[in-house]
Amino acid sequence: HKSIFQILCERIKRLGHLCGRSVAGMDAHRTMQKVAMLMAQKGLAVESDKMKADGLDIKIPLYVMVNSENEMQVMQFFKEGDNFGLDDGSIMFVVQENTPLVDANGRIRLQSKSSIWRQPEGCGSVFRALARDGALADMKSRGVTSILMTSVNNLLAKVGDPLLIGIC
């Protein structure tokens, strides 16, 4: 049985392979360089020394948002699964912040007499987490101009839909 993370990573790896293969057979090195520049503009990491006869070695980055409660378990799960086929440099974890809980009347809930009850903020904090943990800077350094954001538990999501990306 495969985990949802494994399925997601396999889809991302396969998309990188398909995009890289789509340039196989094109006219020589000059065309490969042009395609590499296009891929980089679309945010797909291309290592110029990995241009192969069967295409480019495309590395699509994966940014995984976790919370402070599951961060270590998720990172360990990826480590035990050998990143499910993705390179270490292609995966980055960002941690969402915790926010105070409030009741229906807007009063802050207490976890104990001396501490405020806090829970992960959820998807609403994704952009703040991406900025704070360096993922936006990483995207900028890779030349990423757009991203596909999806919940990991949505197996029907077309992760890296080639038509949406506009490359393959």
Side-chain angles (χ1 to χ4, degrees):
H1 294 57
K2 294 182 180 182
S3 71
I4 294 174
F5 281 127
Q6 181 176 353
I7 294 168
L8 173 69
C9 290
E10 287 174 354
R11 288 178 179 174
I12 290 170
K13 186 170 177 94
R14 180 70 177 152
L15 179 64
H17 174 75
L18 290 174
C19 288
R21 265 189 66 196
S22 70
V23 300
M26 290 183 175
D27 187 22
H29 188 69
R30 192 181 81 219
T31 301
M32 298 284 266
Q33 285 180 326
K34 286 181 180 178
V35 172
M37 287 176 26
L38 175 63
M39 297 290 193
Q41 289 172 355
K42 294 289 186 176
L44 304 176
V46 180
E47 297 181 19
S48 59
D49 63 331
K50 299 224 176 166
M51 292 183 184
K52 302 176 182 178
D54 62 342
L56 296 172
D57 188 17
I58 307 296
K59 307 233 183 292
I60 300 173
L62 172 64
Y63 303 92
V64 180
M65 187 167 77
V66 296
N67 61 54
S68 59
E69 295 176 16
N70 70 11
E71 176 184 12
M72 297 312 294
Q73 293 93 341
V74 172
M75 292 174 72
Q76 182 65 30
F77 189 67
F78 269 81
K79 184 178 179 181
E80 289 171 1
D82 197 27
N83 292 332
F84 307 109
L86 299 180
D87 293 340
D88 285 339
S90 296
I91 301 175
M92 185 172 191
F93 297 93
V94 297
V95 183
Q96 61 185 303
E97 294 180 9
N98 290 329
T99 190
L101 294 179
V102 295
D103 65 17
N105 296 318
R107 294 179 298 221
I108 294 177
R109 306 268 321 259
L110 297 178
Q111 190 166 13
S112 69
K113 288 183 178 185
S114 61
S115 67
I116 296 173
W117 193 357
R118 296 177 181 271
Q119 290 290 310
E121 290 183 332
C123 296
S125 67
V126 66
F127 296 108
R128 188 169 42 246
L130 289 169
R132 184 194 61 243
D133 291 350
L136 291 181
D138 182 74
M139 289 178 200
K140 186 175 182 179
S141 74
R142 294 175 188 258
V144 173
T145 58
S146 57
I147 62 173
L148 170 69
M149 200 177 316
T150 185
S151 173
V152 72
N153 59 0
N154 182 358
L155 284 175
L156 298 178
K158 290 187 102 177
V159 175
D161 183 348
L163 294 176
L164 178 64
I165 294 173
I167 293 204
C168 299

